[in-house]
Amino acid sequence: MVPLNREFSWRTASSLLVSFKYAWTGVSYAFQTQRNFRIHLLVGTLAISLSIFLASESS
Protein backbone atom coordinates (compact mmCIF):
# COMPACT_ATOMS: atom_id res chain seq x y z
CA MET A 1 0.00 0.00 0.00
CA VAL A 2 1.33 3.41 -0.96
CA PRO A 3 1.28 5.96 1.85
CA LEU A 4 -0.84 9.02 1.10
CA ASN A 5 1.44 11.97 0.53
CA ARG A 6 -0.79 15.00 0.03
CA GLU A 7 2.08 17.50 0.13
CA PHE A 8 1.58 18.56 -3.50
CA SER A 9 -2.21 18.44 -3.69
CA TRP A 10 -4.22 21.58 -4.44
CA ARG A 11 -1.29 23.90 -5.03
CA THR A 12 -0.71 26.33 -7.86
CA ALA A 13 2.60 25.96 -9.65
CA SER A 14 4.88 28.98 -9.39
CA SER A 15 6.93 28.02 -12.47
CA LEU A 16 6.97 25.60 -15.37
CA LEU A 17 9.49 23.36 -13.61
CA VAL A 18 7.30 23.14 -10.51
CA SER A 19 4.33 22.37 -12.75
CA PHE A 20 6.19 19.42 -14.27
CA LYS A 21 7.13 18.27 -10.76
CA TYR A 22 3.44 18.24 -9.77
CA ALA A 23 2.53 16.41 -12.99
CA TRP A 24 5.21 13.76 -12.39
CA THR A 25 3.99 13.32 -8.82
CA GLY A 26 0.48 12.64 -10.16
CA VAL A 27 1.68 10.18 -12.80
CA SER A 28 3.84 8.40 -10.25
CA TYR A 29 0.93 8.16 -7.81
CA ALA A 30 -1.38 6.83 -10.52
CA PHE A 31 1.20 4.23 -11.60
CA GLN A 32 1.66 3.02 -8.02
CA THR A 33 -2.02 2.84 -7.09
CA GLN A 34 -4.08 2.27 -10.26
CA ARG A 35 -3.95 -1.11 -11.98
CA ASN A 36 -5.84 0.11 -15.06
CA PHE A 37 -3.36 2.97 -15.51
CA ARG A 38 -0.52 0.44 -15.68
CA ILE A 39 -2.48 -1.65 -18.18
CA HIS A 40 -3.20 1.41 -20.37
CA LEU A 41 0.45 2.42 -20.21
CA LEU A 42 1.57 -1.05 -21.28
CA VAL A 43 -0.93 -1.30 -24.14
CA GLY A 44 -0.12 2.24 -25.31
CA THR A 45 3.61 1.50 -25.28
CA LEU A 46 3.05 -1.72 -27.26
CA ALA A 47 0.86 0.10 -29.81
CA ILE A 48 3.40 2.87 -30.37
CA SER A 49 6.28 0.38 -30.57
CA LEU A 50 4.39 -1.75 -33.07
CA SER A 51 3.50 1.26 -35.23
CA ILE A 52 7.16 2.39 -35.32
CA PHE A 53 8.27 -1.15 -36.18
CA LEU A 54 5.70 -1.55 -38.94
CA ALA A 55 6.45 1.88 -40.38
CA SER A 56 10.15 1.04 -40.61
CA GLU A 57 9.38 -2.33 -42.25
CA SER A 58 7.31 -0.75 -45.03
CA SER A 59 10.06 1.68 -46.06
Side-chain angles (χ1 to χ4, degrees), residues 11-56:
R11 292 197 182 177
T12 303
S14 58
S15 70
L16 185 62
L17 184 62
V18 173
S19 182
F20 277 107
K21 182 179 178 183
Y22 292 158
W24 181 251
T25 300
V27 169
S28 175
Y29 177 79
F31 187 81
Q32 293 174 12
T33 61
Q34 304 297 317
R35 183 185 69 171
N36 285 342
F37 180 78
R38 292 189 297 269
I39 292 169
H40 276 82
L41 196 62
L42 175 67
V43 171
T45 302
L46 288 173
I48 292 171
S49 300
L50 185 59
S51 70
I52 292 170
F53 174 74
L54 292 176
S56 66

